[in-house]
Amino acid sequence: MSKRVLLISYYFAPQNTIGAIRPTKMAKYLERMGYEVTVICGGGLGDKVDPTLQKDLEKLHDVHLIREWNPLRERALKNAQAQKAAAVQADKPAGDRQDATAEKRAGGLIGRLKSVLGKVIENNLYLYLAWLSDRDFCRKAICEVRKLDQTYDCVLSSYSTISTHEIGYYAKKSGKARKWIADFRDEVNMAFAWQAGRQRRYIRMVRENADLITAVSYGVLDMMDMAKDGRVLTNGFDREDLPQTDVVRDEKKLRIVYCGYISEGRKNAPHRDLSPLMKMIRQLIDEGMISQEEVQLVYAGSQSALFEQVAAASGLEACVEDHGMVSRRESIGLQLSADILLMASWHMTGRKGILTGKLFEYMMMNKPVVCCMSGDLTGSDVKGVLDKTGIGFCYEQAGGQADADALKAFVQEIIQRKEAQIQRLQADAELEKSQAQIRE
């Protein structure tokens, strides 16, 4: 008898977004385990394709792509075009750039006020359009579920967006699936204050009707008052994603690599604070342990300006190597070139227990990991994982000076190992040169 799973996720391969990884890998390995997997997914924003996830998609046999009404997709494409235009503008002579800057400032105070007000309106309009787009995805996906001509042993819906669990609930209620697993990559967070009641009803609907609730961490379950009802299914990594070729890098540089968001832009989402490591590097430079020219701060993601601001606050703007938005394959290549893989999260009252997918992706790189953990609580889950595996160090803001001293010692040890490695490379090069001269 066949084992059939219906998987619902707005984010899915080949979308070049972190949210597509978890559901895509679930589908991939469920099929490897002998399940027949049917996927209903959305189109995502923009047109950038992740080549690594594209290969996973090619191995899946029944994927239904829903193209919802989504004006934000058009906006994302225009933003991508604007970024390309900005890159071209950056290559123009200084005089041309100054003329463009002067034109931008011509509006004066009134222009700036309009800009600020316009930004507030734009942000709220963006959230509202995202909500309407998700409603359309929900309607069209439910219609797609109705068209399916078979019954599934289980429907697995992966949050976010809001609609995914509503579709999963419909699949079970309508008899298309016998069981319903509701999976959470993030905690539920609706965009507007007037949706607070709807958010409570949504969480209650999931709690009361799902046969199994899973989440990436206990912290996510706890934030939704589901700690007693749910089970933890952490993110993971897939070694098949690693490139088959060697990664080229400058062995004489200390490369600190950060890939992803700094600020998520979601309501009540804390800011990822990278400054503890930046300040520590600045301190070690001032103490003469390493020169500024030997440090590279490598960034890949959509928030290059924010990353550069954090680096500049510690006087390290000249060390930044910015790659902007890249494919996941390119991101993995940058991670493999690192001496330190940097991540950041938060552990605080009301928001604790976060275990990001980036942590598990970093695990397969075999590189030291440093996590900067903001918040008023110690004992984060990330710290527990790093301590248990021995792959890195987690600095917790709540740990105070003791954690700052431990972070400094950890980075010093990496620098010392780096210097020893450089000396070995130089010795090997000199030995090879001497042997060549002898052969001649």
Side-chain angles (χ1 to χ4, degrees), residues 7-12 15 17-23 40-45 66 68-70 72-73 126-142 156-169 180-191 195 198-199 202-203 205-206 224 266:
L7 191 149
I8 312 292
S9 177
Y10 180 78
Y11 299 106
F12 202 76
Q15 298 172 29
T17 178
I18 191 71
I21 298 173
R22 181 176 173 93
I40 295 179
C41 61
L45 298 179
I66 304 297
E68 81 284 4
W69 171 83
N70 196 338
L72 301 179
R73 187 179 295 115
Y126 180 94
L127 292 171
Y128 187 63
L129 289 175
W131 169 258
L132 292 179
S133 299
D134 190 47
R135 295 301 84 208
D136 192 57
F137 174 74
C138 186
R139 287 189 292 270
K140 291 180 177 176
I142 286 176
L156 169 58
S157 54
S158 181
Y159 180 91
S160 59
T161 57
I162 292 292
S163 62
T164 54
H165 289 334
E166 295 171 327
I167 301 161
Y169 176 49
W180 174 28
I181 299 175
D183 178 63
F184 289 90
R185 184 175 64 88
D186 297 297
E187 77 279 9
V188 176
N189 193 330
M190 295 192 184
Q195 294 177 315
R198 181 178 176 84
Q199 179 170 319
Y202 178 85
I203 292 174
M205 177 273 291
V206 174
M224 300 183 295
R266 293 188 294 123

Side-chain angles (χ1 to χ4, degrees), residues 250-255 293-296 339 418:
D250 187 345
E251 295 290 350
K252 296 181 181 179
K253 300 271 190 175
L254 179 74
R255 289 175 61 83
E293 291 72 23
E294 294 174 310
V295 175
Q296 282 182 320
D339 295 294
K418 179 75 175 179

Side-chain angles (χ1 to χ4, degrees), residues 107-271:
L109 178 59
I110 294 177
R112 289 195 292 274
L113 287 173
K114 286 182 178 179
S115 177
V116 171
L117 181 60
K119 195 67 177 176
V120 172
I121 295 173
E122 181 184 11
N123 287 342
N124 282 278
L125 179 61
Y126 180 94
L127 292 171
Y128 187 63
L129 289 175
W131 169 258
L132 292 179
S133 299
D134 190 47
R135 295 301 84 208
D136 192 57
F137 174 74
C138 186
R139 287 189 292 270
K140 291 180 177 176
I142 286 176
C143 289
E144 194 69 20
V145 170
R146 290 176 184 150
K147 295 176 186 176
L148 298 174
D149 58 0
Q150 57 187 338
T151 301
Y152 296 85
D153 299 289
C154 172
V155 56
L156 169 58
S157 54
S158 181
Y159 180 91
S160 59
T161 57
I162 292 292
S163 62
T164 54
H165 289 334
E166 295 171 327
I167 301 161
Y169 176 49
Y170 173 82
K172 180 189 175 182
K173 184 174 67 172
S174 65
K176 286 291 184 179
R178 298 184 182 91
K179 300 288 184 181
W180 174 28
I181 299 175
D183 178 63
F184 289 90
R185 184 175 64 88
D186 297 297
E187 77 279 9
V188 176
N189 193 330
M190 295 192 184
F192 300 101
W194 53 266
Q195 294 177 315
R198 181 178 176 84
Q199 179 170 319
R200 289 192 295 270
R201 293 191 296 274
Y202 178 85
I203 292 174
R204 185 169 63 246
M205 177 273 291
V206 174
R207 187 190 299 114
E208 292 177 354
N209 294 284
D211 296 281
L212 178 63
I213 298 170
T214 60
V216 294
S217 71
Y218 281 113
V220 169
L221 291 170
D222 189 48
M223 282 185 278
M224 300 183 295
D225 195 25
M226 292 182 178
K228 295 180 180 179
D229 308 292
R231 301 288 184 271
V232 171
L233 179 62
T234 67
N235 284 307
F237 57 81
D238 187 352
R239 291 195 181 277
E240 293 179 8
D241 292 347
L242 292 173
Q244 302 301 313
T245 57
D246 293 334
V247 176
V248 179
R249 66 173 187 161
D250 187 345
E251 295 290 350
K252 296 181 181 179
K253 300 271 190 175
L254 179 74
R255 289 175 61 83
I256 301 170
V257 176
Y258 183 83
C259 299
Y261 293 108
I262 301 171
S263 175
E264 294 189 7
R266 293 188 294 123
K267 184 185 74 173
N268 299 327
H271 195 78

Side-chain angles (χ1 to χ4, degrees), residues 20 32 71 95 103 144 160 179 206 210 212 257 270 286 317 329 387 410 414:
R32 291 254 183 113
E103 290 177 11
E144 194 69 20
S160 59
K179 300 288 184 181
V206 174
L212 178 63
V257 176
D286 293 342
E317 60 273 21
R329 178 185 296 171
D387 289 348
F410 184 80
I414 292 173

Side-chain angles (χ1 to χ4, degrees), residues 35-75:
Y35 288 84
E36 292 182 10
V37 181
T38 297
V39 178
I40 295 179
C41 61
L45 298 179
D47 58 350
K48 195 154 189 173
V49 169
D50 183 335
T52 304
L53 293 183
Q54 177 70 48
K55 289 198 299 184
D56 292 337
L57 178 63
E58 291 168 358
K59 298 172 184 175
L60 300 174
H61 304 102
D62 192 12
V63 177
H64 300 244
L65 175 62
I66 304 297
R67 282 288 182 180
E68 81 284 4
W69 171 83
N70 196 338
L72 301 179
R73 187 179 295 115
E74 184 69 21
R75 181 178 185 270

Side-chain angles (χ1 to χ4, degrees), residues 379-397:
S380 62
D381 285 5
V382 172
K383 190 175 185 67
V385 170
L386 293 181
D387 289 348
K388 183 177 181 179
T389 59
I391 65 170
F393 177 78
C394 180
Y395 162 85
E396 293 180 327
Q397 180 184 9

